Amino acid sequence: MVLDVVKLGEESLRQKSVPVDEVNDEIRQLVEDMFETMIAYEGVGLAAPQIGKNIRMFVLIADDDVRRVFINPQIIKTSEEVSDYDEGCLSIPQVYETISRPVQVTVQALNEKGRPFTLEADGLLARIIQHEYDHLDGILYIDRGDKAFAEKTEAQFKKRAERAKEKEKAKAAKAAKIAAKIAAKEAKKSK
C-alpha cells in the first residue's frame, strides 16, 4: 500500500525515533508498504518518520538495485574522507542542496527477519544510509548545509502548508454552502 509522505514542517520529521521493540508481521508489512511508497514517489530511500512513524527503521534501493532494510541501525564507523553531492528528499520535494558526507560508513542493524547484520558501504549507498539515518534523529539534509538555505526552505514550506490549509478551509466552506442550499431546496419540496 502506498502511504502518504509527510512534508517539511510536519512534527514527525523533527522528532527522535524510538527503537523497534520486535520485528514481527506488522513491521514486515510496514517494510513492504515503505518500499512500495518509496518506489511510487521515485525515491532511493525512505525512513519511517517520513510516513509519520517515529520508529528507528528505513528502507533503500541504491544504484545496485538491492532492496535493503535497516531496523534499529547504528552507524559505528565513518571515513575521514568526504565527498559532496546534490541531495534531495521525498519530504522536501524539488529542493536540492550540495551536502558533504563521509565517503564510507559501517552500519549495524536488523533486517526484516530480525537478523543482525553489519554492512560496510561506500559511494551512493553510504550517502543514502547517512541521509536516512539522520531522519531517525530528526535531522534533515538541509540542516547539514547552508544555514540561510535551510531557513529559506523551512519558510517556503511553512507558507505552502498555510496556503494548503486556507484552500482546504475555503473548499470546506464552499461545500457547506452548497449542502445548505440543497437542504433548503429539499425542505421547500417537502412542504
Side-chain angles (χ1 to χ4, degrees), residues 121-156:
D122 59 12
L124 183 61
L125 178 58
R127 181 167 294 275
I128 298 168
I129 289 169
Q130 293 171 80
H131 177 109
E132 300 307 330
Y133 186 84
D134 275 352
H135 275 298
L136 306 182
D137 291 324
I139 299 168
L140 302 173
Y141 77 97
I142 58 172
D143 301 334
R144 298 209 177 271
D146 178 65
K147 188 175 175 151
F149 179 81
E151 289 169 357
K152 179 182 162 196
T153 303
E154 296 239 21
Q156 282 178 316

PDB file of all heavy atoms in Angstrom, residues 121-156:
ATOM      1  N   ALA A 121      29.700   0.213   3.604  1.00  0.00           N
ATOM      2  CA  ALA A 121      29.173   0.793   2.374  1.00  0.00           C
ATOM      3  C   ALA A 121      29.989   2.008   1.965  1.00  0.00           C
ATOM      4  O   ALA A 121      30.558   2.699   2.812  1.00  0.00           O
ATOM      5  CB  ALA A 121      27.717   1.196   2.584  1.00  0.00           C
ATOM      6  N   ASP A 122      30.016   2.241   0.640  1.00  0.00           N
ATOM      7  CA  ASP A 122      30.656   3.455   0.146  1.00  0.00           C
ATOM      8  C   ASP A 122      29.823   4.022  -0.988  1.00  0.00           C
ATOM      9  O   ASP A 122      28.801   3.456  -1.378  1.00  0.00           O
ATOM     10  CB  ASP A 122      32.105   3.190  -0.292  1.00  0.00           C
ATOM     11  CG  ASP A 122      32.216   2.143  -1.402  1.00  0.00           C
ATOM     12  OD1 ASP A 122      31.188   1.773  -2.004  1.00  0.00           O
ATOM     13  OD2 ASP A 122      33.340   1.694  -1.670  1.00  0.00           O
ATOM     14  N   GLY A 123      30.244   5.169  -1.495  1.00  0.00           N
ATOM     15  CA  GLY A 123      29.545   5.792  -2.616  1.00  0.00           C
ATOM     16  C   GLY A 123      28.114   6.174  -2.288  1.00  0.00           C
ATOM     17  O   GLY A 123      27.808   6.612  -1.176  1.00  0.00           O
ATOM     18  N   LEU A 124      27.232   5.988  -3.280  1.00  0.00           N
ATOM     19  CA  LEU A 124      25.832   6.375  -3.127  1.00  0.00           C
ATOM     20  C   LEU A 124      25.155   5.618  -1.985  1.00  0.00           C
ATOM     21  O   LEU A 124      24.373   6.191  -1.228  1.00  0.00           O
ATOM     22  CB  LEU A 124      25.070   6.151  -4.440  1.00  0.00           C
ATOM     23  CG  LEU A 124      23.598   6.581  -4.431  1.00  0.00           C
ATOM     24  CD1 LEU A 124      23.454   8.075  -4.161  1.00  0.00           C
ATOM     25  CD2 LEU A 124      22.921   6.215  -5.747  1.00  0.00           C
ATOM     26  N   LEU A 125      25.460   4.338  -1.848  1.00  0.00           N
ATOM     27  CA  LEU A 125      24.858   3.541  -0.770  1.00  0.00           C
ATOM     28  C   LEU A 125      25.190   4.148   0.593  1.00  0.00           C
ATOM     29  O   LEU A 125      24.312   4.296   1.449  1.00  0.00           O
ATOM     30  CB  LEU A 125      25.329   2.090  -0.850  1.00  0.00           C
ATOM     31  CG  LEU A 125      24.820   1.144   0.244  1.00  0.00           C
ATOM     32  CD1 LEU A 125      23.296   1.093   0.284  1.00  0.00           C
ATOM     33  CD2 LEU A 125      25.403  -0.259   0.034  1.00  0.00           C
ATOM     34  N   ALA A 126      26.443   4.533   0.807  1.00  0.00           N
ATOM     35  CA  ALA A 126      26.851   5.148   2.080  1.00  0.00           C
ATOM     36  C   ALA A 126      26.105   6.458   2.302  1.00  0.00           C
ATOM     37  O   ALA A 126      25.654   6.754   3.417  1.00  0.00           O
ATOM     38  CB  ALA A 126      28.359   5.382   2.093  1.00  0.00           C
ATOM     39  N   ARG A 127      25.954   7.229   1.254  1.00  0.00           N
ATOM     40  CA  ARG A 127      25.262   8.524   1.363  1.00  0.00           C
ATOM     41  C   ARG A 127      23.792   8.319   1.729  1.00  0.00           C
ATOM     42  O   ARG A 127      23.257   8.996   2.602  1.00  0.00           O
ATOM     43  CB  ARG A 127      25.374   9.294   0.047  1.00  0.00           C
ATOM     44  CG  ARG A 127      24.689  10.650   0.114  1.00  0.00           C
ATOM     45  CD  ARG A 127      25.058  11.517  -1.052  1.00  0.00           C
ATOM     46  NE  ARG A 127      26.458  11.887  -1.025  1.00  0.00           N
ATOM     47  CZ  ARG A 127      26.963  12.928  -0.338  1.00  0.00           C
ATOM     48  NH1 ARG A 127      26.156  13.683   0.388  1.00  0.00           N
ATOM     49  NH2 ARG A 127      28.241  13.199  -0.379  1.00  0.00           N
ATOM     50  N   ILE A 128      23.121   7.382   1.063  1.00  0.00           N
ATOM     51  CA  ILE A 128      21.698   7.128   1.354  1.00  0.00           C
ATOM     52  C   ILE A 128      21.540   6.659   2.799  1.00  0.00           C
ATOM     53  O   ILE A 128      20.637   7.106   3.515  1.00  0.00           O
ATOM     54  CB  ILE A 128      21.091   6.100   0.374  1.00  0.00           C
ATOM     55  CG1 ILE A 128      21.151   6.622  -1.060  1.00  0.00           C
ATOM     56  CG2 ILE A 128      19.644   5.787   0.751  1.00  0.00           C
ATOM     57  CD1 ILE A 128      20.839   5.566  -2.123  1.00  0.00           C
ATOM     58  N   ILE A 129      22.412   5.769   3.252  1.00  0.00           N
ATOM     59  CA  ILE A 129      22.347   5.284   4.633  1.00  0.00           C
ATOM     60  C   ILE A 129      22.443   6.465   5.598  1.00  0.00           C
ATOM     61  O   ILE A 129      21.642   6.583   6.534  1.00  0.00           O
ATOM     62  CB  ILE A 129      23.462   4.247   4.909  1.00  0.00           C
ATOM     63  CG1 ILE A 129      23.153   2.935   4.180  1.00  0.00           C
ATOM     64  CG2 ILE A 129      23.630   4.009   6.417  1.00  0.00           C
ATOM     65  CD1 ILE A 129      24.302   1.936   4.149  1.00  0.00           C
ATOM     66  N   GLN A 130      23.397   7.358   5.377  1.00  0.00           N
ATOM     67  CA  GLN A 130      23.572   8.506   6.273  1.00  0.00           C
ATOM     68  C   GLN A 130      22.367   9.444   6.231  1.00  0.00           C
ATOM     69  O   GLN A 130      21.921   9.945   7.275  1.00  0.00           O
ATOM     70  CB  GLN A 130      24.841   9.278   5.901  1.00  0.00           C
ATOM     71  CG  GLN A 130      26.106   8.471   6.173  1.00  0.00           C
ATOM     72  CD  GLN A 130      27.323   9.144   5.597  1.00  0.00           C
ATOM     73  OE1 GLN A 130      27.857  10.080   6.189  1.00  0.00           O
ATOM     74  NE2 GLN A 130      27.760   8.682   4.424  1.00  0.00           N
ATOM     75  N   HIS A 131      21.835   9.675   5.046  1.00  0.00           N
ATOM     76  CA  HIS A 131      20.672  10.548   4.889  1.00  0.00           C
ATOM     77  C   HIS A 131      19.462   9.982   5.645  1.00  0.00           C
ATOM     78  O   HIS A 131      18.804  10.698   6.406  1.00  0.00           O
ATOM     79  CB  HIS A 131      20.350  10.688   3.389  1.00  0.00           C
ATOM     80  CG  HIS A 131      19.141  11.509   3.092  1.00  0.00           C
ATOM     81  ND1 HIS A 131      19.222  12.763   2.532  1.00  0.00           N
ATOM     82  CD2 HIS A 131      17.824  11.250   3.252  1.00  0.00           C
ATOM     83  CE1 HIS A 131      17.991  13.240   2.379  1.00  0.00           C
ATOM     84  NE2 HIS A 131      17.124  12.335   2.794  1.00  0.00           N
ATOM     85  N   GLU A 132      19.195   8.701   5.432  1.00  0.00           N
ATOM     86  CA  GLU A 132      18.037   8.074   6.091  1.00  0.00           C
ATOM     87  C   GLU A 132      18.267   7.946   7.601  1.00  0.00           C
ATOM     88  O   GLU A 132      17.343   8.128   8.392  1.00  0.00           O
ATOM     89  CB  GLU A 132      17.726   6.714   5.472  1.00  0.00           C
ATOM     90  CG  GLU A 132      17.402   6.748   3.986  1.00  0.00           C
ATOM     91  CD  GLU A 132      16.308   7.728   3.590  1.00  0.00           C
ATOM     92  OE1 GLU A 132      15.394   7.997   4.405  1.00  0.00           O
ATOM     93  OE2 GLU A 132      16.364   8.237   2.458  1.00  0.00           O
ATOM     94  N   TYR A 133      19.491   7.642   7.988  1.00  0.00           N
ATOM     95  CA  TYR A 133      19.832   7.530   9.412  1.00  0.00           C
ATOM     96  C   TYR A 133      19.567   8.863  10.119  1.00  0.00           C
ATOM     97  O   TYR A 133      19.048   8.893  11.231  1.00  0.00           O
ATOM     98  CB  TYR A 133      21.298   7.115   9.547  1.00  0.00           C
ATOM     99  CG  TYR A 133      21.738   6.819  10.958  1.00  0.00           C
ATOM    100  CD1 TYR A 133      21.520   5.563  11.517  1.00  0.00           C
ATOM    101  CD2 TYR A 133      22.383   7.775  11.731  1.00  0.00           C
ATOM    102  CE1 TYR A 133      21.929   5.278  12.807  1.00  0.00           C
ATOM    103  CE2 TYR A 133      22.794   7.497  13.020  1.00  0.00           C
ATOM    104  CZ  TYR A 133      22.571   6.249  13.557  1.00  0.00           C
ATOM    105  OH  TYR A 133      22.972   5.972  14.845  1.00  0.00           O
ATOM    106  N   ASP A 134      19.921   9.965   9.463  1.00  0.00           N
ATOM    107  CA  ASP A 134      19.654  11.293  10.037  1.00  0.00           C
ATOM    108  C   ASP A 134      18.171  11.474  10.351  1.00  0.00           C
ATOM    109  O   ASP A 134      17.808  12.058  11.377  1.00  0.00           O
ATOM    110  CB  ASP A 134      20.099  12.396   9.074  1.00  0.00           C
ATOM    111  CG  ASP A 134      21.575  12.747   9.194  1.00  0.00           C
ATOM    112  OD1 ASP A 134      22.252  12.251  10.116  1.00  0.00           O
ATOM    113  OD2 ASP A 134      22.054  13.543   8.347  1.00  0.00           O
ATOM    114  N   HIS A 135      17.302  10.985   9.447  1.00  0.00           N
ATOM    115  CA  HIS A 135      15.855  11.114   9.677  1.00  0.00           C
ATOM    116  C   HIS A 135      15.450  10.519  11.030  1.00  0.00           C
ATOM    117  O   HIS A 135      14.530  11.014  11.681  1.00  0.00           O
ATOM    118  CB  HIS A 135      15.056  10.393   8.579  1.00  0.00           C
ATOM    119  CG  HIS A 135      14.824  11.213   7.358  1.00  0.00           C
ATOM    120  ND1 HIS A 135      14.115  12.397   7.357  1.00  0.00           N
ATOM    121  CD2 HIS A 135      15.199  11.012   6.067  1.00  0.00           C
ATOM    122  CE1 HIS A 135      14.061  12.887   6.133  1.00  0.00           C
ATOM    123  NE2 HIS A 135      14.719  12.068   5.327  1.00  0.00           N
ATOM    124  N   LEU A 136      16.115   9.462  11.449  1.00  0.00           N
ATOM    125  CA  LEU A 136      15.757   8.793  12.703  1.00  0.00           C
ATOM    126  C   LEU A 136      16.071   9.652  13.921  1.00  0.00           C
ATOM    127  O   LEU A 136      15.542   9.420  15.003  1.00  0.00           O
ATOM    128  CB  LEU A 136      16.475   7.439  12.799  1.00  0.00           C
ATOM    129  CG  LEU A 136      16.273   6.499  11.598  1.00  0.00           C
ATOM    130  CD1 LEU A 136      16.984   5.178  11.849  1.00  0.00           C
ATOM    131  CD2 LEU A 136      14.801   6.287  11.284  1.00  0.00           C
ATOM    132  N   ASP A 137      16.934  10.651  13.719  1.00  0.00           N
ATOM    133  CA  ASP A 137      17.291  11.571  14.810  1.00  0.00           C
ATOM    134  C   ASP A 137      16.669  12.952  14.609  1.00  0.00           C
ATOM    135  O   ASP A 137      17.066  13.921  15.274  1.00  0.00           O
ATOM    136  CB  ASP A 137      18.817  11.678  14.927  1.00  0.00           C
ATOM    137  CG  ASP A 137      19.434  10.382  15.435  1.00  0.00           C
ATOM    138  OD1 ASP A 137      18.803   9.718  16.294  1.00  0.00           O
ATOM    139  OD2 ASP A 137      20.533  10.020  14.993  1.00  0.00           O
ATOM    140  N   GLY A 138      15.731  13.059  13.676  1.00  0.00           N
ATOM    141  CA  GLY A 138      15.058  14.339  13.442  1.00  0.00           C
ATOM    142  C   GLY A 138      15.919  15.344  12.695  1.00  0.00           C
ATOM    143  O   GLY A 138      15.675  16.550  12.748  1.00  0.00           O
ATOM    144  N   ILE A 139      16.931  14.854  11.977  1.00  0.00           N
ATOM    145  CA  ILE A 139      17.835  15.718  11.218  1.00  0.00           C
ATOM    146  C   ILE A 139      17.505  15.589   9.731  1.00  0.00           C
ATOM    147  O   ILE A 139      17.351  14.485   9.217  1.00  0.00           O
ATOM    148  CB  ILE A 139      19.309  15.314  11.467  1.00  0.00           C
ATOM    149  CG1 ILE A 139      19.651  15.456  12.949  1.00  0.00           C
ATOM    150  CG2 ILE A 139      20.256  16.142  10.601  1.00  0.00           C
ATOM    151  CD1 ILE A 139      20.974  14.810  13.333  1.00  0.00           C
ATOM    152  N   LEU A 140      17.417  16.723   9.051  1.00  0.00           N
ATOM    153  CA  LEU A 140      17.166  16.736   7.614  1.00  0.00           C
ATOM    154  C   LEU A 140      18.432  17.160   6.882  1.00  0.00           C
ATOM    155  O   LEU A 140      19.282  17.841   7.450  1.00  0.00           O
ATOM    156  CB  LEU A 140      16.025  17.697   7.280  1.00  0.00           C
ATOM    157  CG  LEU A 140      14.701  17.396   7.983  1.00  0.00           C
ATOM    158  CD1 LEU A 140      13.681  18.492   7.720  1.00  0.00           C
ATOM    159  CD2 LEU A 140      14.156  16.041   7.546  1.00  0.00           C
ATOM    160  N   TYR A 141      18.543  16.789   5.621  1.00  0.00           N
ATOM    161  CA  TYR A 141      19.766  17.112   4.882  1.00  0.00           C
ATOM    162  C   TYR A 141      20.024  18.616   4.829  1.00  0.00           C
ATOM    163  O   TYR A 141      21.167  19.053   4.830  1.00  0.00           O
ATOM    164  CB  TYR A 141      19.753  16.495   3.474  1.00  0.00           C
ATOM    165  CG  TYR A 141      18.883  17.217   2.476  1.00  0.00           C
ATOM    166  CD1 TYR A 141      19.433  18.146   1.601  1.00  0.00           C
ATOM    167  CD2 TYR A 141      17.526  16.971   2.399  1.00  0.00           C
ATOM    168  CE1 TYR A 141      18.639  18.817   0.677  1.00  0.00           C
ATOM    169  CE2 TYR A 141      16.737  17.621   1.494  1.00  0.00           C
ATOM    170  CZ  TYR A 141      17.281  18.554   0.641  1.00  0.00           C
ATOM    171  OH  TYR A 141      16.497  19.209  -0.262  1.00  0.00           O
ATOM    172  N   ILE A 142      18.969  19.418   4.824  1.00  0.00           N
ATOM    173  CA  ILE A 142      19.172  20.871   4.779  1.00  0.00           C
ATOM    174  C   ILE A 142      19.850  21.379   6.049  1.00  0.00           C
ATOM    175  O   ILE A 142      20.471  22.438   6.032  1.00  0.00           O
ATOM    176  CB  ILE A 142      17.848  21.638   4.515  1.00  0.00           C
ATOM    177  CG1 ILE A 142      16.803  21.324   5.582  1.00  0.00           C
ATOM    178  CG2 ILE A 142      17.334  21.353   3.110  1.00  0.00           C
ATOM    179  CD1 ILE A 142      15.541  22.189   5.506  1.00  0.00           C
ATOM    180  N   ASP A 143      19.763  20.620   7.138  1.00  0.00           N
ATOM    181  CA  ASP A 143      20.435  21.005   8.383  1.00  0.00           C
ATOM    182  C   ASP A 143      21.951  20.865   8.260  1.00  0.00           C
ATOM    183  O   ASP A 143      22.691  21.425   9.059  1.00  0.00           O
ATOM    184  CB  ASP A 143      19.973  20.124   9.556  1.00  0.00           C
ATOM    185  CG  ASP A 143      18.471  20.214   9.788  1.00  0.00           C
ATOM    186  OD1 ASP A 143      17.871  21.252   9.441  1.00  0.00           O
ATOM    187  OD2 ASP A 143      17.895  19.235  10.303  1.00  0.00           O
ATOM    188  N   ARG A 144      22.409  20.098   7.300  1.00  0.00           N
ATOM    189  CA  ARG A 144      23.844  19.832   7.126  1.00  0.00           C
ATOM    190  C   ARG A 144      24.482  20.758   6.094  1.00  0.00           C
ATOM    191  O   ARG A 144      25.661  20.646   5.804  1.00  0.00           O
ATOM    192  CB  ARG A 144      24.063  18.379   6.727  1.00  0.00           C
ATOM    193  CG  ARG A 144      23.574  17.413   7.818  1.00  0.00           C
ATOM    194  CD  ARG A 144      24.350  16.144   7.789  1.00  0.00           C
ATOM    195  NE  ARG A 144      23.967  15.247   8.841  1.00  0.00           N
ATOM    196  CZ  ARG A 144      24.517  15.235  10.048  1.00  0.00           C
ATOM    197  NH1 ARG A 144      25.461  16.075  10.356  1.00  0.00           N
ATOM    198  NH2 ARG A 144      24.118  14.345  10.952  1.00  0.00           N
ATOM    199  N   GLY A 145      23.690  21.644   5.533  1.00  0.00           N
ATOM    200  CA  GLY A 145      24.199  22.563   4.518  1.00  0.00           C
ATOM    201  C   GLY A 145      24.213  23.993   5.010  1.00  0.00           C
ATOM    202  O   GLY A 145      24.392  24.266   6.195  1.00  0.00           O
ATOM    203  N   ASP A 146      23.980  24.898   4.084  1.00  0.00           N
ATOM    204  CA  ASP A 146      23.982  26.334   4.359  1.00  0.00           C
ATOM    205  C   ASP A 146      22.787  26.708   5.240  1.00  0.00           C
ATOM    206  O   ASP A 146      21.638  26.398   4.907  1.00  0.00           O
ATOM    207  CB  ASP A 146      23.920  27.084   3.023  1.00  0.00           C
ATOM    208  CG  ASP A 146      23.881  28.572   3.201  1.00  0.00           C
ATOM    209  OD1 ASP A 146      24.875  29.142   3.694  1.00  0.00           O
ATOM    210  OD2 ASP A 146      22.834  29.179   2.855  1.00  0.00           O
ATOM    211  N   LYS A 147      23.067  27.385   6.347  1.00  0.00           N
ATOM    212  CA  LYS A 147      22.017  27.723   7.311  1.00  0.00           C
ATOM    213  C   LYS A 147      20.949  28.636   6.693  1.00  0.00           C
ATOM    214  O   LYS A 147      19.751  28.443   6.907  1.00  0.00           O
ATOM    215  CB  LYS A 147      22.642  28.389   8.542  1.00  0.00           C
ATOM    216  CG  LYS A 147      21.672  28.608   9.659  1.00  0.00           C
ATOM    217  CD  LYS A 147      22.322  29.155  10.896  1.00  0.00           C
ATOM    218  CE  LYS A 147      21.215  29.443  11.882  1.00  0.00           C
ATOM    219  NZ  LYS A 147      21.543  29.350  13.234  1.00  0.00           N
ATOM    220  N   ALA A 148      21.369  29.615   5.907  1.00  0.00           N
ATOM    221  CA  ALA A 148      20.415  30.531   5.275  1.00  0.00           C
ATOM    222  C   ALA A 148      19.499  29.770   4.314  1.00  0.00           C
ATOM    223  O   ALA A 148      18.293  30.034   4.243  1.00  0.00           O
ATOM    224  CB  ALA A 148      21.159  31.648   4.543  1.00  0.00           C
ATOM    225  N   PHE A 149      20.070  28.809   3.573  1.00  0.00           N
ATOM    226  CA  PHE A 149      19.281  27.991   2.652  1.00  0.00           C
ATOM    227  C   PHE A 149      18.242  27.184   3.430  1.00  0.00           C
ATOM    228  O   PHE A 149      17.081  27.088   3.026  1.00  0.00           O
ATOM    229  CB  PHE A 149      20.197  27.059   1.850  1.00  0.00           C
ATOM    230  CG  PHE A 149      19.464  26.172   0.888  1.00  0.00           C
ATOM    231  CD1 PHE A 149      19.065  26.653  -0.350  1.00  0.00           C
ATOM    232  CD2 PHE A 149      19.154  24.863   1.216  1.00  0.00           C
ATOM    233  CE1 PHE A 149      18.380  25.833  -1.246  1.00  0.00           C
ATOM    234  CE2 PHE A 149      18.473  24.039   0.326  1.00  0.00           C
ATOM    235  CZ  PHE A 149      18.090  24.536  -0.903  1.00  0.00           C
ATOM    236  N   ALA A 150      18.655  26.609   4.558  1.00  0.00           N
ATOM    237  CA  ALA A 150      17.737  25.816   5.387  1.00  0.00           C
ATOM    238  C   ALA A 150      16.588  26.681   5.896  1.00  0.00           C
ATOM    239  O   ALA A 150      15.419  26.276   5.833  1.00  0.00           O
ATOM    240  CB  ALA A 150      18.493  25.186   6.555  1.00  0.00           C
ATOM    241  N   GLU A 151      16.900  27.868   6.379  1.00  0.00           N
ATOM    242  CA  GLU A 151      15.864  28.768   6.904  1.00  0.00           C
ATOM    243  C   GLU A 151      14.890  29.180   5.803  1.00  0.00           C
ATOM    244  O   GLU A 151      13.678  29.211   6.006  1.00  0.00           O
ATOM    245  CB  GLU A 151      16.508  30.003   7.553  1.00  0.00           C
ATOM    246  CG  GLU A 151      17.196  29.672   8.868  1.00  0.00           C
ATOM    247  CD  GLU A 151      18.058  30.808   9.405  1.00  0.00           C
ATOM    248  OE1 GLU A 151      18.195  31.862   8.734  1.00  0.00           O
ATOM    249  OE2 GLU A 151      18.607  30.642  10.515  1.00  0.00           O
ATOM    250  N   LYS A 152      15.435  29.491   4.627  1.00  0.00           N
ATOM    251  CA  LYS A 152      14.595  29.887   3.489  1.00  0.00           C
ATOM    252  C   LYS A 152      13.678  28.730   3.083  1.00  0.00           C
ATOM    253  O   LYS A 152      12.485  28.919   2.828  1.00  0.00           O
ATOM    254  CB  LYS A 152      15.499  30.289   2.319  1.00  0.00           C
ATOM    255  CG  LYS A 152      14.769  30.704   1.074  1.00  0.00           C
ATOM    256  CD  LYS A 152      15.771  31.038  -0.028  1.00  0.00           C
ATOM    257  CE  LYS A 152      15.079  31.016  -1.378  1.00  0.00           C
ATOM    258  NZ  LYS A 152      16.020  30.965  -2.482  1.00  0.00           N
ATOM    259  N   THR A 153      14.232  27.524   3.041  1.00  0.00           N
ATOM    260  CA  THR A 153      13.453  26.349   2.662  1.00  0.00           C
ATOM    261  C   THR A 153      12.339  26.087   3.677  1.00  0.00           C
ATOM    262  O   THR A 153      11.193  25.839   3.294  1.00  0.00           O
ATOM    263  CB  THR A 153      14.372  25.113   2.524  1.00  0.00           C
ATOM    264  OG1 THR A 153      15.385  25.405   1.559  1.00  0.00           O
ATOM    265  CG2 THR A 153      13.595  23.893   2.084  1.00  0.00           C
ATOM    266  N   GLU A 154      12.661  26.168   4.956  1.00  0.00           N
ATOM    267  CA  GLU A 154      11.646  25.961   6.015  1.00  0.00           C
ATOM    268  C   GLU A 154      10.524  26.995   5.871  1.00  0.00           C
ATOM    269  O   GLU A 154       9.347  26.655   5.983  1.00  0.00           O
ATOM    270  CB  GLU A 154      12.289  26.050   7.401  1.00  0.00           C
ATOM    271  CG  GLU A 154      13.307  24.960   7.634  1.00  0.00           C
ATOM    272  CD  GLU A 154      13.016  24.062   8.804  1.00  0.00           C
ATOM    273  OE1 GLU A 154      11.859  23.972   9.244  1.00  0.00           O
ATOM    274  OE2 GLU A 154      13.972  23.428   9.265  1.00  0.00           O
ATOM    275  N   ALA A 155      10.899  28.256   5.606  1.00  0.00           N
ATOM    276  CA  ALA A 155       9.896  29.318   5.458  1.00  0.00           C
ATOM    277  C   ALA A 155       8.993  29.056   4.249  1.00  0.00           C
ATOM    278  O   ALA A 155       7.771  29.233   4.319  1.00  0.00           O
ATOM    279  CB  ALA A 155      10.588  30.675   5.324  1.00  0.00           C
ATOM    280  N   GLN A 156       9.605  28.607   3.138  1.00  0.00           N
ATOM    281  CA  GLN A 156       8.817  28.285   1.932  1.00  0.00           C
ATOM    282  C   GLN A 156       7.792  27.194   2.221  1.00  0.00           C
ATOM    283  O   GLN A 156       6.633  27.305   1.816  1.00  0.00           O
ATOM    284  CB  GLN A 156       9.735  27.786   0.808  1.00  0.00           C
ATOM    285  CG  GLN A 156      10.478  28.850   0.075  1.00  0.00           C
ATOM    286  CD  GLN A 156      11.384  28.223  -0.977  1.00  0.00           C
ATOM    287  OE1 GLN A 156      12.064  27.235  -0.730  1.00  0.00           O
ATOM    288  NE2 GLN A 156      11.409  28.815  -2.152  1.00  0.00           N
TER     289      GLN A 156
END
